[in-house]
Amino acid sequence: MSVPVPHRRTAVLSQQAAPARDVCAARRTPDGAVDVPAHLLTTTAGATTAPIPGARRPDTPADNGSGPGLTVLLIGSDPSSTVPDMWDWAGRKVRLRTARNLTEAARLLTDDVDCILLDLAPATEADAPADGAGDTLGALHAVLRMAPAHAVLVMTPETDAERAAEAVRVGAQDYLFRDELDGAVLSRAVRYAVERKRADLAQRQLTESRMRAQENARLERGLLPTPLLDGSDLRFAARYRPGRSRALLGGDFYDTVRTPDGTVHAMIGDVCGHGPDEAALGVELRIAWRALTFAGLCGDELLSTLQKVLEHERADDEIFATLCTVDISPDGRRAGLCLAGHPAPLLSRAGGPPRLLPYEYGGPALGLLPYARWPRHQIELGGAWSLMMYTDGLIEGHVGEGRLRLGQEGMADLVARRMAAGLTGEELLDTALNEVRDLNGGELTDDVAVLWLDRGRG
């Protein structure tokens, strides 16, 4: 691909001298200096006239001393090379450091350097052999490796126009021709290069952040459970809303599987807290529950084993988890219930209003007592029934602006009204969650998981 021809940077040219009466055009600025039109500072021969006390060019603002300005690091092989004075956005003079080589540049490249001005030596025939294998921008590549977060300007002779454009293509923010350097042009180029580099870094960080968010979303989505109910006549629905902003996974967890003997096992739990560590622990407990369930464990034996998993995997001894497990017989008419510090489910029989199952048979949350026990309570379901399991995020939202919380009874009444209106399954869960959020006056701050199982015939 051919290298584009660069746009020329033109220096400010000298103008003819003005009549002496034009001196009246000078005016004093608020800081005491005198702004003089540019044409009064040059003669027909290009030489400056006698200086006017306190005068400055209008394109070189005064250093207002309002704080640290920009710092530029000049890298060039000629120690006598000079560049015009430069000024930043606020009119402060740019500080200049000089380095004769890359070794000196590495020593002078401190955190306060904003831009690197690299004076490229003229290219020679030795730099560009016939086979194209030469590197005429070796110094630039070294600077880009040494200072990836800094703006870089290159200076070349006007005869090296193609190499100047190539320098921008490989990573420099801009280029200037050495023979046409002017203070105003150089000041604008430095400011532009710094802002462009900042914009590039911000865009790169934004892109990386988006990529990480997409990867995290794929990971979290993959960790959400897929119910295994093949062969069962039960209808299933679930809703999950993590309390963490922009997250898909929180400390709540649930799962539902059907074992080879036809028993349907359902579980819902909550790790205290709702950060990423709690979310990871919830996933571990869910996967452990599924594996132990397929291995044939149930009730107290299963929960005791889960507590050991929790004790080994938690970050500190104060972390605990609540859990509710239900195992439904193959004929769908009976179930065993275990509660480990978790709210009791809602059960509706034969289309009747939902009622909270008794909690007095439950045990403590996992991780609180080393030798706890969790009795399994037998429940008669009947021919047609609906069961809703949930985490405390659903019942701890506020009702109105006061300190009153919804609670289990309030949640049961809310669900009963929606069921009386004919709602069930996913439609019921969506409506209930939206109403709980509205009562709270906004999004719920805690994780919320809700699971629904339904058997509509005997």
Side-chain angles (χ1 to χ4, degrees), residues 223-238:
L223 293 175
L224 290 172
T226 301
L228 302 178
L229 291 173
D230 292 344
S232 172
D233 60 354
L234 300 182
R235 290 185 290 272
F236 170 87

Side-chain angles (χ1 to χ4, degrees), residues 173-446:
Q173 272 61 59
D174 205 350
Y175 67 86
L176 295 165
F177 292 140
R178 189 184 303 110
D179 303 330
E180 297 181 345
L181 281 186
D182 171 82
V185 173
L186 183 56
S187 296
R188 287 195 296 269
V190 168
R191 295 195 295 263
Y192 166 79
V194 170
E195 288 301 327
R196 180 178 177 183
K197 186 62 178 182
R198 289 173 179 172
D200 290 344
L201 291 176
Q203 182 62 41
R204 183 182 306 172
Q205 292 171 354
L206 178 61
T207 301
E208 292 174 353
S209 177
R210 287 175 176 171
M211 292 179 62
R212 285 195 299 269
Q214 292 172 357
E215 292 174 356
N216 291 340
R218 287 194 296 269
L219 175 61
E220 294 181 9
R221 193 175 294 112
L223 293 175
L224 290 172
T226 301
L228 302 178
L229 291 173
D230 292 344
S232 172
D233 60 354
L234 300 182
R235 290 185 290 272
F236 170 87
R239 287 295 181 267
Y240 192 95
R241 292 185 181 178
R244 285 190 298 142
S245 176
R246 298 183 297 276
L248 296 176
L249 198 64
D252 290 3
F253 54 98
Y254 70 90
D255 205 350
T256 307
V257 299
R258 182 173 184 264
T259 50
D261 63 355
T263 302
V264 172
H265 302 261
M267 171 271 291
I268 194 165
D270 180 5
V271 177
C272 64
H274 48 268
D277 293 337
E278 289 77 11
L281 183 56
V283 170
E284 291 182 88
L285 292 175
R286 180 187 67 79
I287 294 174
W289 176 88
R290 177 176 284 201
L292 294 172
T293 298
F294 279 122
L297 275 66
C298 186
D300 180 75
E301 186 180 11
L302 187 150
L303 293 177
S304 297
T305 308
L306 279 181
Q307 174 159 276
K308 294 179 181 178
V309 174
L310 172 65
E311 291 171 346
H312 287 293
E313 298 296 332
R314 62 187 176 183
D316 61 71
D317 294 341
E318 295 183 358
I319 299 296
F320 63 90
T322 65
L323 197 68
C324 171
T325 67
V326 173
D327 55 276
I328 303 169
S329 62
D331 62 6
R333 302 182 68 89
R334 293 171 302 279
L337 170 68
C338 287
L339 294 174
H342 200 86
L346 278 177
L347 175 64
S348 173
R349 296 186 179 94
R355 295 287 186 266
L356 288 168
L357 291 175
Y359 179 79
E360 58 268 19
Y361 299 102
L366 302 181
L368 293 182
L369 300 176
Y371 302 105
R373 289 292 176 263
W374 296 271
R376 178 176 175 272
H377 182 59
Q378 188 73 22
I379 301 170
E380 292 296 327
L381 300 176
W385 51 267
S386 298
L387 183 70
M388 191 177 91
M389 306 164 66
Y390 53 92
T391 57
D392 60 6
L394 185 66
I395 61 177
E396 291 187 349
H398 290 88
V399 179
E401 297 181 357
R403 302 181 62 183
L404 181 64
R405 296 186 182 272
L406 179 63
Q408 287 181 278
E409 297 294 341
M411 182 268 300
D413 292 340
L414 184 153
V415 172
R417 291 195 302 271
R418 298 307 176 186
M419 291 183 66
L423 301 184
T424 185
E426 294 183 351
E427 187 178 11
L428 172 64
L429 298 187
D430 287 335
T431 303
L433 281 172
N434 290 336
E435 185 170 348
V436 170
R437 181 193 59 193
D438 293 341
L439 290 172
N440 188 60
E443 291 294 339
L444 301 169
T445 58
D446 197 4

